[in-house]
Amino acid sequence: MPERDDPEIIGRRVQRLRVERGLTQRQLAEPAYTPAYVSTLEAGRVRPSDDALRHLAERLGVGFDELAKGRPARLVTELRLKLTGAQRTLATGETEAAAHAFRAVLDEAEPHGLAEEQAAALLGLGECGTQTGELVEARKCFERAEETLADAPLPARVPAIRGRAVAHYLAGELRYAVYLLESTLDELNRSGLHDPDALLLLYASAIGPYMDMGAHARAAQAAEFALALAPRAGDPALVARMHRSVARTLLAEGRLAEADASLAKAAELYRQLQIRTELANCHWMRGYVCAQNGELERAEDELRAALDMLSAKRAALYSSQVAVELADVLHRRGKSEEAAALLNGVLGDLSSERGAVHAAAAHRLLGIIAEDTGDTDDAEEHYVRALSLLERAGAAGDLADLCRLLGDLLRRTGRVEAALDAYRTGLGHRTAPGTTTLGPAPAQPPL
């Protein structure tokens, strides 16, 4: 029997609808039931059968769900249309308007216990939070979405789990993000729940934290699995995101042309889907590719395009991260004053809990600029701040490089013992390619 409201609530609803339509109890009851039965039902003293409710619903001109649960017949359809509209708004980068639309859907879905619609609205609110940098609120939304779908199969809960992982990753909690992704992958693969979209989403999302932790071999393996799963995935936006993530592993392997081709595929899919924020991320990533390849003028153009698109749409956290990478390119092009101004302008938007890796990168670059001008005290202060951020995040590769910079600075200023300590710290974080302290890799999907 479908879930329904208590007999008293159903009775009051039947009576209200009957009176609104000007029907007597006899007119409502006949020919299948008696007026006495309707009277007893309206008083809440009998639990009506499904057949009785269907008869009464037909006589009252409403749907079964509306009579049994107070849910208007077209409510689910209308809410899903509103969700589609909210998702489209978010895709164009109008984060504030999208969040308002998702909250409206959530407010309508909750009183009727519509779990799928509630979860979709919460996921949308979580995505809005990750774009604006409200990571604590975003994580709460993803957690609520997962709780709402507690009785659903694991693949249905994967987007919420992935959302939590991304929120932790952006907050600089790399290891916990990886733990969430890997434990979910293990559960999916070992229990035979080989949902291509769910697996692809998890593998693609793991690449970023793997790379920042220096686990390059594991990142490459995740990219390999993601590429193999892509032809079976049903969501083109998911495939586009995968291509953008895979480009990072290709870059790490020095395969710049393949990385650029992968980003071109992602950008084309985003253009077709009209997903503006993700298209901006493709400009961002292509700027990074160009910077790695020494094409600094093109890198600057790509990063400025990304920054313009993201800033115009109030994607605050992502805008700050792009600004840091643009500042690096400006510095390399001899525009150090502009780079420093840009970094000082965004440092307030970054912290150990919000974009930790990019906050460290900003301090690192400000330290280098300070060294260039001979201000060793300022340089040392920025390096130490960056070191603290990277140690908290566990970003091993960046830590090794930063310790080298700090050690060189200390040695040049005559503090040899302190310099040796910095070098030793860097060596402790410099692992062999692909090694990590993460433990066993997750189980493999049946490719």
Side-chain angles (χ1 to χ4, degrees):
M1 180 182 293
E3 289 183 12
R4 58 170 70 169
D5 290 332
D6 293 334
E8 294 85 354
I9 297 174
I10 293 174
R12 288 196 296 270
R13 189 176 295 135
V14 169
Q15 184 180 45
R16 175 178 57 80
L17 291 169
R18 177 179 63 78
V19 171
E20 285 176 0
R21 286 153 177 74
L23 298 173
T24 65
Q25 290 179 337
R26 181 179 298 279
Q27 287 171 324
L28 181 59
E30 291 179 343
Y33 298 92
T34 66
Y37 176 76
V38 172
S39 177
T40 305
L41 187 152
E42 287 184 352
R45 294 196 298 269
V46 65
R47 182 178 182 84
S49 66
D50 285 358
D51 287 341
L53 282 178
R54 289 192 181 94
H55 166 80
L56 295 172
E58 184 178 351
R59 300 287 287 170
L60 292 166
V62 297
F64 176 89
D65 274 1
E66 184 171 356
L67 198 59
K69 309 175 190 178
R71 183 186 299 167
R74 290 183 52 81
L75 179 62
V76 172
T77 301
E78 289 170 0
L79 288 180
R80 288 180 180 174
L81 286 172
K82 289 178 181 178
L83 280 168
T84 300
Q87 288 156 356
R88 176 54 57 197
T89 302
L90 179 59
T92 60
E94 299 288 348
T95 314
E96 190 175 327
H100 179 77
F102 284 124
R103 284 192 198 96
V105 172
L106 184 61
D107 290 343
E108 283 191 76
E110 280 185 325
H112 300 290
L114 298 172
E116 288 185 28
E117 289 69 29
Q118 288 179 66
L122 287 164
L123 285 173
L125 286 169
E127 290 293 339
C128 292
T130 57
Q131 290 196 18
T132 59
E134 298 167 285
L135 300 179
V136 174
E137 288 304 312
R139 192 170 68 244
K140 289 178 181 176
C141 288
F142 290 129
E143 287 170 354
R144 283 181 61 194
E146 190 177 354
E147 290 167 5
T148 302
L149 296 173
D151 296 329
L154 180 57
R157 288 182 273 124
V158 161
I161 297 169
R162 177 260 175 193
R164 286 174 56 205
V166 169
H168 284 289
Y169 172 45
L170 291 174
E173 298 162 3
L174 276 61
R175 289 187 180 279
Y176 189 67
V178 166
Y179 162 75
L180 285 174
L181 296 168
E182 288 194 341
S183 59
T184 309
L185 279 165
D186 270 334
E187 191 174 347
L188 280 171
N189 286 322
R190 288 177 176 155
S191 59
L193 298 170
H194 303 302
D195 182 283
D197 282 3
L199 290 169
L200 181 58
L201 184 58
L202 293 167
Y203 281 118
S205 300
I207 290 172
Y210 280 153
M211 294 295 293
D212 286 347
M213 292 176 71
H216 297 142
R218 198 169 290 190
Q221 185 183 53
E224 180 186 341
F225 290 155
L227 286 166
L229 287 161
R232 293 158 51 194
D235 183 356
L238 183 53
V239 174
R241 181 181 289 166
M242 178 275 300
H243 279 299
R244 186 162 58 82
S245 298
V246 165
R248 283 199 68 177
T249 66
L250 296 171
L251 277 172
E253 296 168 2
R255 297 155 66 183
L256 299 182
E258 292 173 70
D260 200 41
S262 195
L263 288 169
K265 291 176 186 175
E268 182 55 34
L269 284 167
Y270 287 134
R271 286 192 192 94
Q272 292 171 10
L273 296 166
Q274 298 181 333
I275 302 180
R276 183 181 175 88
T277 302
E278 295 290 359
L279 184 57
N281 286 336
C282 284
H283 282 291
W284 176 4
M285 197 68 177
R286 293 188 89 168
Y288 180 77
V289 171
C290 294
Q292 294 295 305
N293 203 29
E295 302 172 64
L296 298 182
E297 185 176 353
R298 187 181 164 204
E300 182 179 341
D301 290 342
E302 292 282 2
L303 291 169
R304 287 194 187 278
L307 188 58
D308 288 344
M309 293 174 76
L310 291 169
S311 297
K313 299 303 176 182
R314 299 195 182 97
L317 178 56
Y318 294 154
S319 296
S320 299
Q321 292 176 325
V322 173
V324 172
E325 297 190 24
L326 174 58
D328 181 60
V329 170
L330 292 172
H331 170 66
R332 291 166 64 186
R333 295 197 71 195
K335 304 176 184 179
S336 295
E337 287 187 13
E338 185 181 353
L342 190 58
L343 292 169
N344 285 314
V346 300
L347 260 180
D349 295 325
L350 298 167
S351 69
S352 59
E353 291 80 29
R354 194 171 181 269
V357 174
H358 278 79
H363 281 295
R364 172 188 177 277
L365 185 52
L366 283 169
I368 291 171
I369 293 171
E371 273 205 85
D372 290 344
T373 61
D375 191 344
T376 55
D377 289 343
D378 194 38
E380 183 178 344
E381 183 178 343
H382 282 298
Y383 289 153
V384 170
R385 286 187 182 182
L387 183 64
S388 174
L389 288 162
L390 292 173
E391 283 187 323
R392 181 185 180 280
D398 289 344
L399 262 168
D401 176 67
L402 184 67
C403 288
R404 177 187 59 79
L405 288 171
L406 179 58
D408 289 349
L409 173 64
L410 294 168
R411 180 171 51 81
R412 283 195 298 271
T413 54
R415 287 169 287 172
V416 178
E417 285 301 322
L420 287 171
D421 286 342
Y423 291 140
R424 290 189 194 101
T425 301
L427 287 170
H429 290 289
R430 192 168 183 80
T431 57
T435 64
T436 176
T437 57
L438 293 174
Q444 296 186 15
L447 299 175

